[in-house]
């Protein structure tokens, strides 16, 4: 299974009855020493870092890739790192499974994981800056003996020889998704040099062509590739019309056709062209990172935006094919860690209650805020869990072991216990924070809500077998789909022996 950069905009866990209010929300134990081995990369690594996760060798354990460079707006390529999850321990296996990392060091700012050639094995693309061309690494799958072979750099044959975005190449973000309707992922790069973004079209087998001018430039609406300072972009179906749109940032200064600063929606005309429809403003102002996800479980994408001032979220109440969508914005309150310069944002159902929460890293792409008065820490923003999409910072005013000054954060279930853990890429080194059970946590497969998957849960599923219902789900419906059947029993058997009380 491929895990996207936002780590679960499409991975909502299981719908369950909202738990009673608790004094404590989620909690984590720092297990960096026993859960992480960075090998030749120093444990106190001070480089700028971005992280993406996925099960690269399809063994059921989620792995990670870390791309590295000299911090902030300074050139300085570094060797990237492949962390393979071996029974709950992330181990640097770069030399064995990604040896080309040592051949081409990168000034990398972002990474996207997807199956670009349709062979079911997750590949990845690295977005580089300071004039360095992006790289594509293809998953080699297994040999005839069933041994995973790792990744190979196939940039020379699969990517255009020279991607030229109309000015300095300083890619800050990359995202993948099918824009042409042929089911294979295309790729969009966001450029923070203040020139143009880039759209690459996949031929269906993992070979790409630069189609930016043809698909984004319009005599009527202007050049949608133009960007003032591009730090983030996503490919999603934001208007629910069956084709994927592009949502991008153009900030810091105003350029045509936006003639403003903020986040903008480019609507797909159904054939992969974005220059035939008016754009829409999603956020305005000093926005720098965002994530799109369904915060209210109503089937429409909402948005969380990281900005220089207080972070903001937007709830979608209605969609129209090719726009505009109807949105309402709100700002966080009582959240000091999200009131200034920040970094990457991720969505995840951290407490398994069926709605998406938000993780916000603190370190800016451009501003050196690892220290000084602008420095702050990674934090978790809680979704209230009642389908209203109201967000709050339950840890404002407190400091816990995972409140680190981080460039990026990845959510992944490191030990396969059904709870999302956190890998932080910090200003200094890395840290692994394993989630521990609290009364606020729903354990997947737990039919009787005792926070343990045991014989009682098998009995609950068998007792309720064949029942159907509507929320709140009860009687053995551990998957929350309104039916009690073989899939629920399979989930309980898969999770048997997991949980807080075991």
């Amino acid at each position: 299974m491929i895990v996207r950069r936002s780590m679960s905009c499409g991975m909502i866990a299981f719908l369950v009855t909202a738990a009673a209010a608790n004094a404590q929300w989620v909690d984590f134990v720092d297990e960096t020493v026993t859960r992480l081995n960075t090998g030749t990369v120093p444990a106190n690594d001070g480089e700028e870092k971005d992280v993406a996760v996925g099960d690269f060798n399809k063994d059921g354990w989620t792995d990670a890739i870390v791309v590295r460079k000299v911090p902030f707006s300074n050139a300085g390529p570094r060797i990237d790192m492949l962390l393979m999850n071996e029974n709950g321990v992330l181990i640097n296996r770069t030399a064995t499974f990604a040896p080309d990392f040592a051949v081409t060091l990168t000034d990398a700012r972002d990474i996207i994981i997807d199956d670009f050639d349709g062979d079911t094995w997750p590949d990845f693309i690295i977005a580089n800056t300071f004039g360095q061309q992006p790289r594509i690494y293809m998953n080699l799958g297994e040999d005839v003996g069933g041994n995973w072979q790792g990744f190979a750099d196939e940039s020379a044959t699969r990517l255009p020889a020279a991607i030229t975005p109309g000015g300095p190449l300083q890619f800050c973000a990359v995202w993948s998704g099918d824009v042409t309707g042929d089911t294979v992922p295309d790729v969009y790069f966001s450029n923070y040099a203040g020139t143009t973004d880039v759209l690459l079209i996949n031929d269906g087998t993992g070979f790409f062509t630069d189609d930016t001018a043809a698909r984004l430039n319009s005599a009527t609406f202007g050049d949608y590739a133009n960007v003032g300072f591009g730090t983030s972009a996503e490919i999603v179906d934001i208007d629910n019309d069956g084709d994927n749109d592009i949502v991008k940032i153009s900030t810091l200064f105003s350029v045509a056709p936006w003639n403003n600063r903020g986040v903008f929606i480019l609507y797909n005309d159904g054939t992969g062209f974005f220059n035939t429809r008016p754009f829409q403003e999603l956020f305005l102002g000093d926005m720098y990172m965002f994530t799109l996800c369904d915060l209210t479980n109503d089937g429409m994408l909402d948005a969380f935006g990281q900005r220089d001032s207080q972070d903001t979220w937007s709830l979608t109440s209605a969609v129209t094919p090719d726009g505009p969508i109807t949105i309402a914005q709100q700002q966080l309150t009582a959240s000091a860690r999200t009131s200034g310069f920040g970094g990457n944002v991720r969505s995840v159902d951290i407490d398994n209650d069926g709605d998406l929460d938000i993780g916000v890293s603190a370190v800016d792409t451009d501003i050196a805020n690892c220290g000084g008065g602008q420095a702050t820490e990674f934090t978790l923003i809680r979704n209230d869990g009642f389908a209203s999409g109201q967000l709050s910072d339950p840890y404002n005013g407190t400091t816990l072991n995972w409140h680190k000054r981080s460039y990026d954060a990845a959510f992944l279930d490191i030990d396969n216990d059904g709870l999302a853990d956190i890998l932080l890429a910090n200003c200094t080194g890395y840290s692994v924070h394993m989630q521990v059970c609290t009364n606020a946590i729903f354990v997947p497969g737990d039919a009787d809500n005792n926070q343990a998957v045991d014989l009682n849960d098998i009995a609950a599923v068998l007792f309720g077998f064949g029942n159907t219902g509507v929320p709140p789900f009860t009687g053995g419906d551990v998957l929350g789909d309104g039916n009690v059947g073989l899939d629920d029993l399979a989930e309980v058997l898969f999770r048997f022996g997991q949980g807080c009380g075991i």
Side-chain angles (χ1 to χ4, degrees):
M1 179 178 65
I2 296 171
V3 181
R4 299 302 303 270
R5 182 178 68 156
S6 57
M7 185 53 193
S8 65
C9 271
M11 291 182 62
I12 300 177
F14 315 117
L15 292 173
V16 294
T17 304
N22 293 277
Q24 184 181 25
W25 191 36
V26 289
D27 199 9
F28 300 86
V29 176
D30 188 335
E31 296 186 6
T32 308
V33 173
T34 57
R35 297 281 183 179
L36 179 64
N37 181 349
T38 59
T40 56
V41 174
N44 64 346
D45 179 19
E47 307 296 359
E48 180 182 329
K49 317 165 185 74
D50 282 86
V51 186
V53 297
D55 184 3
F56 305 135
N57 57 0
K58 297 201 286 191
D59 66 349
W61 298 85
T62 305
D63 314 300
I65 295 172
V66 182
V67 294
R68 308 163 61 241
K69 65 174 290 296
V70 168
F72 308 110
S73 293
N74 303 291
R78 295 291 184 264
I79 187 170
D80 300 321
M81 179 168 57
L82 174 65
L83 295 173
M84 298 304 297
N85 189 337
E86 299 179 8
N87 297 311
V89 181
L90 297 172
I91 300 176
N92 186 343
R93 298 298 187 194
T94 304
T96 304
F97 295 116
D100 290 341
F101 279 1
V103 177
T104 304
L105 308 189
T106 64
D107 260 317
R109 270 268 160 81
D110 200 10
I111 183 170
I112 192 69
I113 298 168
D114 213 329
D115 178 12
F116 293 111
D117 58 358
D119 65 354
T120 77
W121 292 90
D123 316 299
F124 63 90
I125 288 178
I126 294 175
N128 289 319
T129 188
F130 293 105
Q132 190 179 52
Q133 293 290 310
R135 315 297 299 179
I136 184 170
Y137 281 79
M138 304 304 293
N139 195 320
L140 301 177
E142 294 177 345
D143 62 19
V144 294
N147 303 302
W148 185 59
Q149 302 176 88
F151 294 101
D153 184 350
E154 298 186 8
S155 307
T157 57
R158 292 184 179 272
L159 298 180
I163 296 174
T164 54
L169 188 159
Q170 293 192 28
F171 291 147
C172 191
V174 60
W175 198 266
S176 63
D178 173 25
V179 303
T180 62
D182 61 358
T183 74
V184 296
D186 308 297
V187 178
Y188 192 89
F189 293 94
S190 179
N191 194 354
Y192 90 122
T195 52
T196 59
D197 294 340
V198 170
L199 174 62
L200 300 185
I201 299 300
N202 191 335
D203 72 348
T205 63
F207 293 85
F208 293 86
T209 302
D210 187 345
D211 251 13
T212 307
R215 295 178 184 271
L216 294 177
N217 197 356
S218 166
T220 302
F221 301 108
D223 191 352
Y224 285 174
N226 281 352
V227 63
F229 193 84
T231 52
S232 188
E234 293 189 12
I235 298 174
V236 295
D237 183 6
I238 200 167
D239 55 353
N240 285 5
D241 65 350
D243 55 55
N244 282 322
D245 312 296
I246 294 172
V247 184
K248 61 178 281 182
I249 278 180
S250 181
T251 190
L252 191 60
F253 53 91
S254 177
V255 297
W258 328 113
N259 298 316
N260 215 327
R261 300 178 300 116
V263 181
F264 304 93
I265 302 171
L266 316 185
Y267 288 105
N268 192 331
D269 70 356
T271 65
F273 287 83
F274 302 86
N275 51 14
T276 65
R277 301 287 189 272
F279 69 86
Q280 181 179 353
E281 298 165 340
L282 179 61
F283 291 114
L284 289 182
D286 53 350
M287 310 301 300
Y288 284 90
M289 298 291 180
F290 68 90
T291 187
L292 298 168
C293 51
D294 186 356
L295 293 171
T296 58
N297 288 331
D298 61 0
M300 294 181 288
L301 286 175
D302 309 300
F304 183 93
Q306 183 279 318
R307 61 194 309 167
D308 281 353
S309 52
Q310 185 62 61
D311 289 359
T312 302
W313 78 94
S314 172
L315 298 181
T316 302
S317 58
V319 294
T320 302
D322 298 327
I325 62 173
T326 303
I327 56 177
Q329 295 182 12
Q330 302 179 63
Q331 282 193 337
L332 285 168
T333 58
S335 183
R337 292 185 174 91
T338 61
S339 62
F341 292 129
N344 291 318
V345 293
R346 306 280 184 250
S347 63
V348 63
D349 184 2
I350 197 68
D351 54 2
N352 283 351
D353 69 346
D355 58 55
L356 290 170
D357 311 293
I358 303 291
V360 185
S361 288
V363 182
D364 185 85
T365 298
D366 196 49
I367 305 298
N369 64 324
C370 275
Q374 296 174 335
T376 184
E377 303 89 18
F378 169 83
T379 196
L380 288 169
I381 303 301
R382 183 179 187 176
N383 194 328
D384 70 0
F386 295 98
S388 65
Q390 293 302 302
L391 305 179
S392 63
D393 184 350
Y395 300 107
N396 188 51
T398 64
T399 300
L400 301 178
N401 61 55
W402 45 270
H403 283 126
K404 305 282 189 180
R405 296 175 183 176
S406 66
Y407 288 101
D408 202 1
F411 297 105
L412 67 166
D413 184 359
I414 294 175
D415 55 356
N416 277 354
D417 66 349
L419 304 179
D421 310 303
I422 305 174
L423 169 63
L424 288 181
N426 301 314
C427 288
T428 303
Y430 309 83
S431 55
V432 172
H433 304 272
M434 305 299 293
Q435 188 173 175
V436 295
C437 282
T438 69
N439 290 332
I441 294 299
F442 170 72
V443 177
D446 178 19
D448 59 359
N449 202 31
N450 69 346
Q451 294 199 300
V453 184
D454 50 27
L455 290 173
N456 292 329
D457 301 300
I458 295 177
V461 173
L462 294 177
F463 182 79
F465 203 84
N467 288 343
T468 60
V470 295
F473 300 113
T474 58
D477 182 20
V478 298
L479 291 180
D481 59 2
N483 300 284
V484 183
L486 290 175
D487 52 352
D488 299 291
L489 181 60
E491 180 68 19
V492 171
L493 294 175
F494 177 73
R495 299 290 183 181
F496 195 81
Q498 296 180 359
C500 302
I502 294 178

